[in-house]
Amino acid sequence: MKKQFAVIGLGRFGGSICKELNDQGMEVLAIDINEDKVNEYASVATHAVMADTTDENTLRSLGIRNFDHVIVAIGDNIQSSILTTLMLVELGLPHITVKAQNDYHEKVLLKIGAHKVVHPERDMGIRIAHNIVSKNVLDYLELSDEYSIVELMAGQRVDGRSLIDLDIRAKFGCNIMAVKREEYIDVSPAPDQNIKKGDILIVIGADKDITRMEQALF
Ligand code: ATP
Ligand code: ATP
Ligand code: CA
């Protein structure tokens, strides 16, 4: 059976989640308190309804309990976001993802039982900053405060050298998870394989180790 998703709040963030889930062939219920938003998403989502999700009876009557995953994308109205999340937790929803507006909001959401809190503006800012600071960093995924996965573009300094030769794991304590060359991705790079300028190395490690490696080799 298809997974059932509900998106509450059809701003730019909730709206784009809605569109993408629909494009991926998922069933999506789109909910907003604003009638114009509901009309806008009527043709995008499987169903679109106007409702105030801070009202428990309204949530019940929507049959929200039967959904696999609910995304709360109410941004500016922190009170509504918190109340909605609390209702969903109390109804026992198995997966609740909530967009947080700031660190305090995030803290409250986690305390009341949200399963995952996202912070799209902050996270995108961090990723873009990494991209801007180093022209070799193509993408960046924060795993924790200290660990990340980054995509680095191989330059002149590593051209024609192997992983053994570069001795990356021993010298820098990070691991090359995969090497991308044009369309091809090698997810288990051989230690004796030569890297070519323009290859994209996907590196996992502590931020400080990745930075050391980046400065030495990229
Ligand atoms: P984005 O930045 O993603 O565009 P935002 O962070 O600015 O969004 P808002 O515009 O504040 O977020 O809220 C997103 C949507 O949530 C709005 O369309 C708003 O009508 C809806 N919303 C707010 N409160 C409720 C509520 N109680 N029930 C249902 N929807 C609500
Ligand atoms: P381990 O047992 O931890 O895999 P190893 O010394 O047996 O280490 P080899 O596969 O023999 O590893 O490779 C020799 C060196 O090449 C390693 O010490 C390491 O520094 C480097 N190396 C090999 N593969 C990678 C990789 N995927 N990422 C980073 N460095 C690597
Ligand atoms: Ca916003």
Side-chain angles (χ1 to χ4, degrees):
M1 220 184 81
K2 268 194 192 173
K3 278 203 170 175
Q4 308 265 337
F5 294 88
V7 178
I8 300 174
L10 304 171
R12 285 161 299 180
F13 180 68
S16 83
I17 289 184
C18 216
K19 284 201 188 91
E20 189 59 29
L21 287 172
N22 182 66
D23 287 352
Q24 290 189 28
M26 304 293 157
E27 300 255 328
V28 193
L29 171 66
I31 307 168
D32 203 290
I33 200 168
N34 178 325
E35 190 175 5
D36 293 339
K37 288 283 173 188
V38 175
N39 291 335
E40 190 183 333
Y41 283 86
S43 56
V44 176
T46 317
H47 300 284
V49 296
M50 187 175 113
D52 179 353
T53 56
T54 59
D55 183 71
E56 192 176 350
N57 291 327
T58 305
L59 274 183
R60 279 182 195 280
S61 67
L62 288 172
I64 204 92
R65 295 171 74 152
N66 303 319
F67 283 77
D68 298 298
H69 199 143
V70 181
I71 297 102
V72 182
I74 300 171
D76 296 341
N77 193 334
I78 291 180
Q79 181 174 329
S80 294
S81 158
I82 291 170
L83 277 174
T84 298
T85 305
L86 184 61
M87 306 290 175
L88 295 170
V89 170
E90 288 191 336
L91 286 167
L93 267 295
H95 298 286
I96 306 166
T97 298
V98 192
K99 169 181 152 158
Q101 193 76 335
N102 56 52
D103 291 347
Y104 294 112
H105 187 192
E106 173 168 4
K107 231 178 189 171
V108 173
L109 293 169
L110 291 171
K111 279 242 158 93
I112 63 175
H115 302 114
K116 190 171 161 70
V117 175
V118 293
H119 226 132
E121 290 92 347
R122 183 193 64 190
D123 294 349
M124 210 25 135
I126 293 172
R127 287 173 79 160
I128 291 173
H130 277 262
N131 259 279
I132 293 169
V133 168
S134 168
K135 65 177 179 10
N136 292 310
V137 177
L138 304 178
D139 206 351
Y140 167 88
L141 175 70
E142 186 183 81
L143 298 176
S144 73
D145 283 350
E146 285 171 64
Y147 293 88
S148 313
I149 294 175
V150 298
E151 282 191 353
L152 295 171
M153 166 91 81
Q156 201 62 53
R157 275 192 272 182
V158 295
D159 189 37
R161 299 180 66 184
S162 68
L163 294 175
I164 294 179
D165 177 24
L166 294 168
D167 207 15
I168 290 170
R169 193 182 295 143
K171 280 190 181 147
F172 304 102
C174 23
N175 272 287
I176 312 291
M177 298 164 67
V179 177
K180 277 203 250 182
R181 183 171 296 167
E182 287 155 17
E183 299 300 292
Y184 181 75
I185 300 190
D186 184 354
V187 293
S188 127
D192 58 355
Q193 180 199 309
N194 282 352
I195 293 168
K196 280 205 324 204
K197 188 177 167 186
D199 284 355
I200 292 162
L201 309 187
I202 297 154
V203 185
I204 184 166
D207 293 337
K208 61 170 176 37
D209 294 333
I210 295 176
T211 305
R212 268 197 310 133
M213 178 186 129
E214 209 190 302
Q215 284 166 352
L217 302 177
F218 290 86

